Amino acid sequence: MPRSIWKGSISFGLVQIPVALYAAEEPNELHFTQLDRRNMTPIRYERVNRETGEPVSWDDIIRGYPYEKGEYVVMSDEDLRRANVEATQTVDILDFVDASEIDPMYYEKPYYLAPTSPNSKKKSSVTAYVLLREALRKTGKVGIAKVVIRTREHIAAVRPHGRALVLNLMRFAHELRSDEELDLPEMDVEGKGLGKRELEMAERLVAEMATEWKPEKYKDEYRDDVMKLIEKKVKSGQTTTPAEPEEEEDHRRDTGTVDLIALLKKSLGEKGAKGAKVANDDKRADDAGSKVRKAETPKRKGSGSRRAA
């Protein structure tokens, strides 16, 4: 079984579903080792002390935030967790929206969410997992959530995928560039010299090339060609045998899980009560003639700050 990246719980309403997060993608990129052409030996990049030039082991490396030039605040894993325990252990679903409303440009990286191994006392977590999965499937909705992975907060979509719930990390709106800066043609087709016949021919070509989406049909042909060239060089004896550097130990850790199954009825009741309160507040505001609301804009951190890994 693969190793989980993160452990915590999905939270929607008062329901808590203990889950573990697993990578859903397996990059199949070509990786080359950099060699010294003089003796074909691998180049090693060391972690060294900038002042002394001496190597530094992983055990001696800590995380520091530069608040002034040359001055740092040390932050441990426990400090980051203690800053907001709930945020670091919860996929907090804020809203449910139609899947069709989300522009694909917002999607970034997928992960699988799996219920943590149930024992005799925690079988309800699997029931809640299935409940959420099927509710999303039947309504065509996805859950929009916030989640902290390592040291960064992400917006994410929780959606059903076969037997699994998938957590798709998304880009925040401010992370997408506007196309207003580009010199793009306007939406007025007729004003761009396009005749009716040209458009009909283009539509017919699209229709003729249309087919069912079969992702396994598409292959990384460039990678295959590079591998064939590598195999050809191996067969012809164009190889070298440098000593491989030692692999670094993986120091990732899992956080704890939360095991609490809450009442859906109570969640719905609180949601309804909040909705009624908002409606009454809006009515009173309208009667008073107050129609202007101030929107709070979150402050963005300066681009000079560094994110710790």
Side-chain angles (χ1 to χ4, degrees):
M1 186 172 180
R3 181 175 181 177
S4 64
I5 297 171
W6 174 96
K7 286 185 178 179
S9 63
I10 300 174
S11 172
F12 69 105
L14 297 178
V15 178
Q16 300 281 331
I17 309 172
V19 292
L21 191 71
Y22 298 90
E25 63 176 356
E26 189 174 11
N28 199 18
E29 300 176 4
L30 288 170
H31 295 282
F32 294 94
T33 300
Q34 292 185 321
L35 307 175
D36 186 331
R37 68 165 62 248
R38 296 169 297 180
N39 60 3
M40 302 304 290
T41 300
I43 298 173
R44 181 176 63 191
Y45 293 90
E46 296 182 329
R47 298 170 299 278
V48 298
N49 185 302
R50 185 181 298 179
E51 182 178 336
T52 65
E54 297 179 354
V56 182
S57 68
W58 280 114
D59 292 337
D60 291 326
I61 294 178
I62 58 177
R63 184 186 289 107
Y65 179 85
Y67 69 95
E68 288 182 4
K69 187 175 181 179
E71 299 293 331
Y72 301 88
V73 174
V74 174
M75 296 292 289
S76 66
D77 289 343
E78 179 58 26
D79 288 331
L80 296 173
R81 189 193 70 82
R82 191 169 56 239
N84 190 331
V85 176
E86 184 177 356
T88 58
Q89 294 184 345
T90 308
V91 177
D92 188 16
I93 296 179
L94 309 174
D95 300 292
F96 292 99
V97 303
D98 287 337
S100 59
E101 292 182 359
I102 301 176
D103 189 323
M105 288 185 68
Y106 282 97
Y107 287 119
E108 187 173 8
K109 190 172 186 178
Y111 291 91
Y112 286 122
L113 286 165
T116 52
S117 300
N119 56 32
S120 58
K121 296 182 180 179
K122 298 181 180 179
K123 289 184 179 180
S124 57
S125 65
V126 174
T127 302
Y129 182 93
V130 173
L131 177 67
L132 176 59
R133 184 189 67 193
E134 297 308 310
L136 293 176
R137 191 191 313 282
K138 295 195 177 202
T139 59
K141 304 286 187 182
V142 297
I144 302 301
K146 282 192 174 181
V147 59
V148 173
I149 300 177
R150 297 187 175 93
T151 61
R152 182 186 172 189
E153 183 177 68
H154 301 265
I155 185 174
V158 178
R159 58 185 184 84
H161 181 76
R163 296 184 303 152
L165 283 173
V166 168
L167 179 84
N168 250 117
L169 296 188
M170 303 175 70
R171 298 176 178 90
F172 285 99
H174 67 264
E175 294 178 308
L176 286 175
R177 290 182 175 177
S178 170
D179 61 9
E180 295 297 327
E181 300 175 1
L182 304 178
D183 184 14
L184 300 173
E186 298 298 328
M187 298 294 288
D188 181 15
V189 176
E190 296 181 358
K192 300 304 174 184
L194 282 178
K196 182 178 180 181
R197 184 183 177 193
E198 288 89 345
L199 187 56
E200 288 177 348
M201 291 178 64
E203 291 176 354
R204 189 171 66 189
L205 176 60
V206 171
E208 290 177 355
M209 295 180 65
T211 184
E212 293 183 4
W213 166 240
K214 296 180 179 179
E216 64 277 3
K217 170 183 175 181
Y218 307 96
K219 308 293 183 183
D220 187 347
E221 296 181 0
Y222 176 74
R223 182 184 186 281
D224 293 342
D225 290 341
V226 173
M227 289 304 301
K228 288 178 182 178
L229 181 58
I230 290 174
E231 292 171 2
K232 184 177 180 180
K233 283 179 173 285
V234 171
K235 290 181 179 179
S236 63
Q238 301 178 53
T239 63
T240 184
T241 314
E244 291 292 337
E246 295 182 2
E247 295 184 0
E248 299 292 345
E249 184 180 352
D250 189 347
H251 288 274
R252 293 179 303 185
R253 67 181 184 87
D254 291 333
T255 59
T257 62
V258 178
D259 182 31
L260 172 65
I261 189 73
L263 299 176
L264 286 171
K265 285 186 177 180
K266 190 172 181 181
S267 297
L268 290 171
E270 288 195 359
K271 189 73 174 179
K274 290 180 181 178
K277 183 178 183 302
V278 170
N280 291 333
D281 291 343
D282 288 345
K283 187 176 184 303
R284 284 194 294 269
D286 290 339
D287 293 339
S290 175
K291 298 182 179 179
V292 180
R293 297 179 180 177
K294 294 181 180 180
E296 294 183 358
T297 304
K299 295 181 179 179
R300 294 177 59 184
K301 295 182 180 179
S303 59
S305 63
R306 286 186 250 170
R307 292 173 180 166

